[in-house]
Amino acid sequence: MPAAIADRLQGMIPPVVTPLTEQGAFDRASAENLYRSMLDVGVNGLFLFGTSGEGPLLNAAQQAEAVEVAVKVAAGRAPVLVGVLEAGTDRAIALARSVKDWGADGLVVCPPFYFPATQADVLAHFRAIREAVDLPILAYDIPVTTKVKIELATMLTLAQEGTIVAVKDSSGDMVGFRRLLLKRPPGLKLFTGAELMVDAVLLQGADGTVPGLGNVAPEAFVKLIAAWREGRMAEVVEIQSAIVRLFEVFLRPDGVLEVGYALGSMKTALKLRGVIETNCLCRPFPAVTPEHEERVRTIMTETGFL
Amino acid sequence: MPAAIADRLQGMIPPVVTPLTEQGAFDRASAENLYRSMLDVGVNGLFLFGTSGEGPLLNAAQQAEAVEVAVKVAAGRAPVLVGVLEAGTDRAIALARSVKDWGADGLVVCPPFYFPATQADVLAHFRAIREAVDLPILAYDIPVTTKVKIELATMLTLAQEGTIVAVKDSSGDMVGFRRLLLKRPPGLKLFTGAELMVDAVLLQGADGTVPGLGNVAPEAFVKLIAAWREGRMAEVVEIQSAIVRLFEVFLRPDGVLEVGYALGSMKTALKLRGVIETNCLCRPFPAVTPEHEERVRTIMTETGFL
Amino acid sequence: MPAAIADRLQGMIPPVVTPLTEQGAFDRASAENLYRSMLDVGVNGLFLFGTSGEGPLLNAAQQAEAVEVAVKVAAGRAPVLVGVLEAGTDRAIALARSVKDWGADGLVVCPPFYFPATQADVLAHFRAIREAVDLPILAYDIPVTTKVKIELATMLTLAQEGTIVAVKDSSGDMVGFRRLLLKRPPGLKLFTGAELMVDAVLLQGADGTVPGLGNVAPEAFVKLIAAWREGRMAEVVEIQSAIVRLFEVFLRPDGVLEVGYALGSMKTALKLRGVIETNCLCRPFPAVTPEHEERVRTIMTETGFL
Amino acid sequence: MPAAIADRLQGMIPPVVTPLTEQGAFDRASAENLYRSMLDVGVNGLFLFGTSGEGPLLNAAQQAEAVEVAVKVAAGRAPVLVGVLEAGTDRAIALARSVKDWGADGLVVCPPFYFPATQADVLAHFRAIREAVDLPILAYDIPVTTKVKIELATMLTLAQEGTIVAVKDSSGDMVGFRRLLLKRPPGLKLFTGAELMVDAVLLQGADGTVPGLGNVAPEAFVKLIAAWREGRMAEVVEIQSAIVRLFEVFLRPDGVLEVGYALGSMKTALKLRGVIETNCLCRPFPAVTPEHEERVRTIMTETGFL
């Protein structure tokens, strides 16, 4: 039941990567290992096919197998949320229906992309999906990829009418998120994708985080959440500071944050930890270079995460 | 044979809309009428599934039927080019293979979107598609939707190595296009999507145009091209000026160019002319309002295009 | 002595508006009242000629009188910092020299604007001013007006070599500020201009805030700082939440943040509180409308700040 | 008389650089030489203190001397236009008054910068200057530096009410310029700053050009204008193509257009031609490197301009 799922949404929900073989096929064994290791660390859910999960680059067969594995491994221990990141509404509905058939617990939907979307387009997109598929929806606000910010008024409308039950904010707009925190209707759960600001948004009332960096150091985020729940604020900030230092793994040596590079770092970290087999990415992303791998290893070691 | 097709690329190639029924299904009868009417006016090719064709919003069944109809109607009179506008390389290859099976003559490929792409990603994307499918490729440069400009060096590399045979420039960067015109390798055909600058780019050596506004007034662009070929430059500018006045149909009453609005104007114009049955758009675009229809009718009438 | 001043930089330093008469002249009486009322509330400094102070719109005579009044009113109770917001280096040095002559305690310098500046230009600009004038410099990072972000490496270089003693971050880039907080050299003081995120940055180790909204509710920020110093974190968040609600005064009725509108709100609030005489702005900003005044009054009343 | 000046505005009006000595002072001898050499080549006016002239970086003494020299050298042969590029209205009026006192023939005014300006701010700025100073005004549209586009409706209003007599369009928005060309009221003169599109805009009805590259090759633009007036269109395009090739001098070796680099190229070209003494720029721009000088020399030689 949607309501029940929404009640369970909280804490640390990693946007897990999608493990691939050297040939580019879905790597089932690695995925089982990845999902299980996340749950064993104590995460509060699994989010497949987000930006970190290379959602829009996968084909239907890969997606079906990944969700099936996640649902089996989770086995009710934590909700399985699945990204519906599609350029248009009809393709999104088709995927959403499949996701429900595959047994997932919720959808994470971003605005339609390719075409620059208006706020009216955003409303229409979410409403059509909600109407077509009976699964709770988290709104995924990520203008760096979709080109459109889900504006405050739009988000509040979607929440008040029951179209969405939660938000993953990856907009980088901390002030906008702050205003959303203060104006949200009862029951709307708010998560940040800004892994460097988790302490701040928890302080301000957020329900949790969906951090890409959670692929690299899931236990740090789980501990941060735990410290927060128990009121140990100094520890929260201390863990957060360690996470900020670790964040360098996402930056190229010249300091630039490039999405393909960051995705490579996530898979490399998991490979270095022995969780997944390869750090192969979907095309057109280039192969991770040995220098890149070495950089990830060095930073993880220096910051105590390896 | 790719080379043969590339040799035939020239003049006016409309990026045709995709006619839909009130229920959102592909409208076969309208499409036949549309494609035939374009060919009868004397266009030099048909381009399906571009931005005007709502390519990324269609499903595979709609796409298959549309290409099949276009190929049948064209019957070799003019090449049928088909857009491959996909967020990732594997999905793009899958579509490109289908396009070849459906009998089309060439692909129009844009950079991968959703994920912000680097120039290396752009190169990898085009090369992988070229390697996988034996059809000539036109590069579609449209950063307003894909977020990435295909830079001059990238474009030249793709052309020199034979990955692409032509370019549709919808970047709005007239200076960049100018530099491309002067540096292009022999055989690379250059088309502009900037319907208000056709006279200028022809003057500068371009091979033709792929104008969204060609859905509204195909005969004007065909006449402009003819006047140019025959050296009647004053007439070229005169026709172009009329086209600029007509361009107002794409702008909202407040002067803003909104893609969904412009798409609605295209289909409305074709409906008003009796070429297609409805002006319905793919979701999430809203229905064209009566005020919008009236505005299109008024501008077309005032500018002599209805 | 610079070092001594830097040591005193902390807490709440309002970027005060510049009161004008109906005729557009500097309003000396209102300014005296404004500066005194700020100091009486307990602010830790005065910052003249920032964005809130309409610095780049004032002439030299207005500037001279304003600084003179501020220095006289402050009388050593708190440092007087003066904005040097100029398009080029030579003009900036000329102003900085005057500021020193007028008796101020420090400079707040933003990157050169008009011409898009490189990081090398930014370095050269700050260094030339530092070399020419013996006053401590706060770097003012505000890309929304200057078009250039002072990148992390640039800021660290300026700090390490002693060119700057503090930073006012109005970049909106909370993650960048976080990284700066963790990497700053000893002694570099860090202030945020993001009035809605003060609790968060204090939690993360910032030294204080320079909030435009401090013109509207200086006592709220002073209390927030006090609560923080005394470890009453729940109260910090509570005050911050009230400030977020008050922030609506900066937004137009349609929710858009427009600088001229926000400046009008600041002066209106001070006029409503009886601190300054008029809410006139420098040209080309339009006069504050009665509707705008009413909106400010309503929001201030509803949020308990009037 | 304004009307008379406006009638004379046409053809090629170079936005001349401001020659400096090694010590950063205004180089009177070089300036005389520069202005005279431009007039001898046959330009139709001189535009001082534009972006190419580093206007916003000069002090009042430098400005006074430069205008005085230009007026003396021009001696009525061609109008002297002077840039009023200031962040706010009052400073702009002060400069405009001085410009009139110095004997110039017209003002070239850009929108207020620093503060993000609304269209209402733009209108108020131009109107206030027009009211305060009796000199004809050219509107300078250059959003890459001012952050604001002078929208079509704003430009038409300013023209219709007689606030401006001409436009220098450096917006890069060729489509917007095209619409302005078709909608302009009688008498409004239109110039492009896009040196690579002069042939195109002349074809479309523009009155001339104000090209930064005119510092490097004034005679090419003069010849282009002459060929156009005499209807030799093939020659127009040929000259324009040569200019496009020459344009590489403005680009860094990595292909990026950086304003400071381009300014350095202009002064270097003039130094190489023996017109001015140094290629020194205003601070904070860095000194031109030997490699940069060599690159300018090579490109000019290869393209036949040295």
Side-chain angles (χ1 to χ4, degrees):
Chain A
M1 236 161 35
I5 290 297
D7 289 347
R8 290 171 64 194
L9 292 177
Q10 53 146 325
M12 153 64 169
I13 303 177
V16 288
V17 304
T18 304
L20 300 177
T21 67
E22 295 282 353
Q23 288 72 40
F26 177 68
D27 179 350
R28 187 183 186 97
S30 288
E32 284 187 1
N33 216 31
L34 169 63
Y35 304 154
R36 180 167 298 113
S37 77
M38 287 288 178
L39 293 163
D40 289 350
V41 166
V43 302
N44 305 106
L46 293 175
F47 167 32
L48 275 65
F49 310 159
T51 303
S52 300
E54 300 174 272
L57 303 183
L58 302 171
N59 63 38
Q62 293 169 323
Q63 290 178 324
E65 195 171 0
V67 176
E68 183 210 314
V69 171
V71 168
K72 195 192 68 178
V73 172
R77 275 204 282 170
V80 173
L81 309 173
V82 180
V84 173
L85 283 49
E86 292 289 337
T89 304
D90 289 338
R91 290 194 195 181
I93 288 175
L95 173 55
R97 286 189 172 130
S98 296
V99 167
K100 183 168 169 63
D101 291 344
W102 298 331
D105 300 296
L107 306 172
V108 185
V109 176
C110 76
F113 40 95
Y114 189 76
F115 292 98
T118 64
Q119 296 299 306
D121 295 337
V122 172
L123 282 170
H125 187 72
F126 278 93
R127 287 167 175 168
I129 297 170
R130 183 69 193 91
E131 195 174 318
V133 184
D134 186 26
L135 275 183
I137 294 178
L138 290 85
Y140 188 9
D141 193 17
I142 183 164
V144 72
T145 61
T146 64
K147 298 188 293 287
V148 63
K149 174 92 178 80
I150 307 179
E151 292 176 5
L152 182 59
T154 303
M155 202 67 99
L156 292 177
T157 298
L158 289 172
Q160 280 150 0
E161 70 191 23
T163 302
I164 62 171
V165 300
V167 172
K168 176 187 177 186
D169 181 76
S170 294
S171 70
D173 176 7
M174 302 310 298
V175 165
F177 191 61
R178 185 69 182 257
R179 295 179 70 213
L180 181 57
L181 278 163
L182 282 172
K183 287 170 177 266
R184 64 169 153 178
L188 182 71
K189 298 296 185 77
L190 298 180
F191 293 80
T192 186
E195 48 263 282
L196 305 196
M197 297 296 286
V198 181
D199 55 354
V201 299
L202 288 174
L203 179 75
Q204 295 166 355
D207 298 289
T209 180
V210 184
L213 201 58
N215 283 288
V216 180
E219 68 286 359
F221 289 93
V222 169
K223 281 184 197 162
L224 189 158
I225 294 284
W228 170 255
R229 285 186 185 137
E230 294 158 22
R232 288 174 275 121
M233 203 62 205
E235 193 180 332
V236 168
V237 176
E238 188 187 328
I239 299 170
Q240 180 70 74
S241 296
I243 290 170
V244 175
R245 289 189 196 94
L246 176 65
F247 183 73
E248 303 291 315
V249 295
F250 278 4
L251 306 177
R252 295 188 322 205
D254 63 1
V256 171
L257 180 57
E258 180 184 299
V259 177
Y261 190 91
L263 294 179
S265 298
M266 291 179 203
K267 287 191 170 173
T268 298
L270 287 162
K271 181 184 156 196
L272 291 174
R273 290 167 151 240
V275 178
I276 67 175
E277 191 70 25
T278 84
N279 54 9
C280 296
L281 300 170
C282 290
R283 293 192 287 178
F285 291 128
V288 175
T289 64
E291 293 73 26
H292 183 170
E293 279 203 30
E294 194 49 37
R295 184 172 147 81
V296 171
R297 185 199 305 274
T298 302
I299 294 169
M300 289 182 71
T301 306
E302 286 175 2
T303 53
F305 285 95
L306 194 69
Chain B
M1 233 161 37
I5 291 297
D7 288 347
R8 291 171 64 195
L9 293 177
Q10 53 147 323
M12 152 65 168
I13 302 177
V16 289
V17 305
T18 303
L20 300 178
T21 66
E22 295 283 353
Q23 288 72 40
F26 177 69
D27 179 351
R28 187 183 187 98
S30 288
E32 284 187 1
N33 216 33
L34 169 62
Y35 304 153
R36 181 167 297 115
S37 78
M38 287 288 176
L39 293 163
D40 288 350
V41 165
V43 302
N44 305 107
L46 293 174
F47 167 31
L48 276 65
F49 310 160
T51 303
S52 300
E54 299 173 274
L57 303 183
L58 302 171
N59 64 37
Q62 292 169 322
Q63 291 178 324
E65 196 172 359
V67 177
E68 183 209 314
V69 171
V71 168
K72 195 192 69 177
V73 172
R77 276 204 281 171
V80 173
L81 310 174
V82 179
V84 173
L85 283 48
E86 293 288 337
T89 305
D90 290 338
R91 289 194 195 181
I93 288 175
L95 173 56
R97 286 190 172 129
S98 296
V99 168
K100 184 169 168 62
D101 291 345
W102 299 331
D105 300 297
L107 307 172
V108 185
V109 176
C110 77
F113 40 94
Y114 189 76
F115 291 97
T118 63
Q119 296 298 305
D121 295 338
V122 172
L123 282 170
H125 187 72
F126 278 92
R127 286 168 176 167
I129 297 169
R130 183 70 193 86
E131 195 174 317
V133 184
D134 187 26
L135 274 183
I137 295 178
L138 289 84
Y140 188 8
D141 193 17
I142 183 163
V144 72
T145 61
T146 64
K147 299 188 294 286
V148 64
K149 174 93 177 78
I150 307 179
E151 292 176 5
L152 182 59
T154 303
M155 202 66 100
L156 292 177
T157 298
L158 290 172
Q160 280 151 1
E161 69 191 24
T163 302
I164 62 173
V165 301
V167 172
K168 176 186 176 186
D169 180 77
S170 295
S171 70
D173 176 7
M174 303 310 298
V175 166
F177 191 61
R178 186 69 183 256
R179 294 180 70 214
L180 181 58
L181 277 163
L182 282 172
K183 288 170 175 265
R184 65 170 152 177
L188 182 70
K189 298 295 186 74
L190 299 180
F191 294 80
T192 186
E195 48 263 282
L196 305 197
M197 296 296 285
V198 182
D199 56 353
V201 299
L202 288 175
L203 179 74
Q204 296 166 355
D207 297 289
T209 181
V210 184
L213 201 59
N215 283 288
V216 180
E219 68 286 358
F221 289 94
V222 169
K223 280 183 198 162
L224 189 158
I225 294 285
W228 170 255
R229 284 187 185 136
E230 294 157 22
R232 289 174 275 120
M233 202 62 206
E235 193 180 332
V236 168
V237 177
E238 189 188 326
I239 299 170
Q240 180 70 75
S241 296
I243 289 170
V244 175
R245 290 189 195 93
L246 175 64
F247 184 73
E248 303 291 315
V249 294
F250 279 4
L251 306 177
R252 295 188 323 206
D254 63 1
V256 171
L257 179 57
E258 180 184 299
V259 177
Y261 190 91
L263 294 178
S265 298
M266 290 179 203
K267 287 191 170 173
T268 298
L270 287 163
K271 180 184 158 197
L272 291 173
R273 288 166 153 242
V275 178
I276 66 175
E277 192 70 24
T278 82
N279 54 10
C280 296
L281 300 171
C282 291
R283 293 193 286 180
F285 292 127
V288 175
T289 64
E291 292 73 25
H292 184 170
E293 279 203 31
E294 195 48 37
R295 183 171 148 80
V296 171
R297 185 199 306 274
T298 302
I299 295 170
M300 289 181 73
T301 305
E302 286 175 1
T303 54
F305 285 95
L306 194 69
Chain C
M1 235 161 33
I5 291 297
D7 288 347
R8 291 170 63 196
L9 293 177
Q10 53 147 323
M12 154 64 170
I13 302 177
V16 288
V17 304
T18 304
L20 300 178
T21 66
E22 295 282 352
Q23 289 71 40
F26 178 69
D27 179 350
R28 188 183 186 97
S30 287
E32 283 187 1
N33 215 31
L34 169 62
Y35 304 154
R36 181 168 296 115
S37 78
M38 287 288 177
L39 292 163
D40 288 350
V41 166
V43 301
N44 305 106
L46 293 174
F47 168 31
L48 275 66
F49 310 159
T51 303
S52 299
E54 299 174 272
L57 303 183
L58 303 171
N59 63 39
Q62 293 169 323
Q63 290 178 325
E65 195 171 359
V67 177
E68 184 210 314
V69 171
V71 168
K72 195 192 68 177
V73 172
R77 274 203 285 170
V80 173
L81 310 174
V82 179
V84 173
L85 282 48
E86 293 288 336
T89 305
D90 290 338
R91 290 195 194 179
I93 288 175
L95 174 56
R97 286 189 173 130
S98 296
V99 168
K100 184 169 168 63
D101 291 344
W102 299 331
D105 300 297
L107 307 172
V108 185
V109 176
C110 76
F113 39 95
Y114 189 75
F115 292 98
T118 64
Q119 296 299 306
D121 295 338
V122 172
L123 283 171
H125 187 72
F126 278 92
R127 286 168 177 169
I129 297 169
R130 183 69 194 89
E131 195 173 316
V133 184
D134 187 26
L135 274 183
I137 294 177
L138 290 84
Y140 188 8
D141 193 18
I142 183 164
V144 72
T145 61
T146 64
K147 298 188 293 286
V148 64
K149 174 93 178 79
I150 307 179
E151 291 177 5
L152 182 60
T154 303
M155 201 67 100
L156 292 177
T157 298
L158 289 171
Q160 280 150 0
E161 70 191 23
T163 302
I164 62 172
V165 301
V167 173
K168 176 186 177 187
D169 180 77
S170 294
S171 70
D173 176 7
M174 303 310 299
V175 165
F177 191 61
R178 185 67 183 257
R179 294 179 71 213
L180 181 58
L181 278 163
L182 282 173
K183 286 170 177 267
R184 63 169 153 179
L188 182 71
K189 296 297 186 75
L190 299 179
F191 294 80
T192 187
E195 48 262 283
L196 305 196
M197 296 297 286
V198 182
D199 56 353
V201 299
L202 288 175
L203 178 75
Q204 296 165 354
D207 297 290
T209 181
V210 184
L213 201 57
N215 284 288
V216 180
E219 69 285 1
F221 288 93
V222 169
K223 280 184 199 164
L224 188 158
I225 294 285
W228 170 255
R229 284 186 186 136
E230 294 158 23
R232 288 173 276 120
M233 203 62 207
E235 194 180 332
V236 168
V237 177
E238 189 187 328
I239 299 170
Q240 180 70 74
S241 296
I243 290 170
V244 176
R245 289 189 196 95
L246 176 64
F247 183 74
E248 301 291 315
V249 294
F250 279 3
L251 305 177
R252 295 188 322 207
D254 64 0
V256 171
L257 180 58
E258 180 185 299
V259 177
Y261 190 91
L263 294 178
S265 298
M266 290 179 202
K267 287 192 170 173
T268 298
L270 286 163
K271 180 185 158 196
L272 291 174
R273 289 167 152 241
V275 178
I276 67 176
E277 192 70 24
T278 83
N279 53 10
C280 296
L281 300 171
C282 290
R283 293 193 287 179
F285 291 128
V288 175
T289 63
E291 292 73 27
H292 183 169
E293 279 203 30
E294 195 48 38
R295 185 171 146 79
V296 172
R297 185 198 305 273
T298 302
I299 295 169
M300 289 181 72
T301 305
E302 286 175 1
T303 54
F305 285 95
L306 194 71
Chain D
M1 234 159 35
I5 291 296
D7 288 348
R8 290 171 64 195
L9 293 176
Q10 53 148 322
M12 153 64 170
I13 302 177
V16 288
V17 303
T18 303
L20 300 178
T21 67
E22 294 283 352
Q23 289 71 39
F26 177 69
D27 179 350
R28 189 182 185 98
S30 287
E32 284 186 1
N33 216 32
L34 170 63
Y35 303 155
R36 181 167 297 116
S37 77
M38 287 287 176
L39 293 163
D40 289 349
V41 166
V43 301
N44 304 107
L46 293 175
F47 167 32
L48 276 64
F49 310 160
T51 303
S52 300
E54 300 174 272
L57 303 183
L58 303 171
N59 63 39
Q62 293 169 322
Q63 291 179 324
E65 195 172 0
V67 177
E68 182 209 316
V69 171
V71 169
K72 194 192 69 178
V73 172
R77 275 203 284 171
V80 173
L81 310 174
V82 180
V84 173
L85 283 49
E86 293 288 337
T89 305
D90 290 337
R91 290 194 194 181
I93 288 175
L95 173 55
R97 286 190 172 130
S98 296
V99 168
K100 183 169 168 63
D101 292 343
W102 299 330
D105 300 297
L107 307 172
V108 184
V109 176
C110 77
F113 41 95
Y114 189 76
F115 291 97
T118 64
Q119 295 298 306
D121 295 338
V122 172
L123 282 171
H125 186 72
F126 278 92
R127 287 168 174 168
I129 297 170
R130 183 70 193 88
E131 195 174 317
V133 184
D134 187 26
L135 274 184
I137 294 178
L138 289 84
Y140 189 7
D141 192 17
I142 183 163
V144 72
T145 62
T146 64
K147 298 187 294 286
V148 64
K149 175 92 179 79
I150 307 179
E151 291 176 6
L152 182 59
T154 303
M155 201 67 99
L156 292 177
T157 298
L158 289 172
Q160 281 150 359
E161 69 190 24
T163 302
I164 62 172
V165 301
V167 173
K168 176 187 177 187
D169 180 77
S170 294
S171 71
D173 175 7
M174 303 311 298
V175 166
F177 191 62
R178 186 70 183 254
R179 294 180 71 212
L180 180 58
L181 278 163
L182 282 172
K183 287 170 177 265
R184 63 169 153 177
L188 183 71
K189 298 296 185 74
L190 299 180
F191 293 80
T192 186
E195 48 262 282
L196 304 196
M197 296 295 287
V198 181
D199 56 353
V201 299
L202 288 174
L203 179 74
Q204 296 166 354
D207 298 289
T209 180
V210 184
L213 201 59
N215 283 287
V216 180
E219 69 285 359
F221 289 94
V222 169
K223 280 183 198 163
L224 189 157
I225 294 285
W228 170 255
R229 284 185 186 138
E230 294 158 22
R232 289 174 276 120
M233 202 62 206
E235 194 181 330
V236 168
V237 177
E238 190 187 326
I239 299 170
Q240 180 70 75
S241 296
I243 289 169
V244 176
R245 289 189 195 94
L246 176 64
F247 184 73
E248 301 292 315
V249 294
F250 279 4
L251 305 177
R252 295 188 322 206
D254 64 0
V256 171
L257 180 57
E258 180 185 298
V259 178
Y261 189 93
L263 294 178
S265 298
M266 290 180 202
K267 287 192 171 174
T268 297
L270 287 163
K271 181 184 156 195
L272 291 174
R273 289 166 152 241
V275 178
I276 66 175
E277 192 70 24
T278 83
N279 53 11
C280 297
L281 301 170
C282 291
R283 293 193 287 180
F285 291 127
V288 175
T289 64
E291 292 73 26
H292 183 170
E293 278 203 31
E294 195 48 37
R295 185 172 146 80
V296 171
R297 185 199 306 273
T298 302
I299 295 169
M300 289 182 73
T301 305
E302 286 175 1
T303 53
F305 286 94
L306 195 70

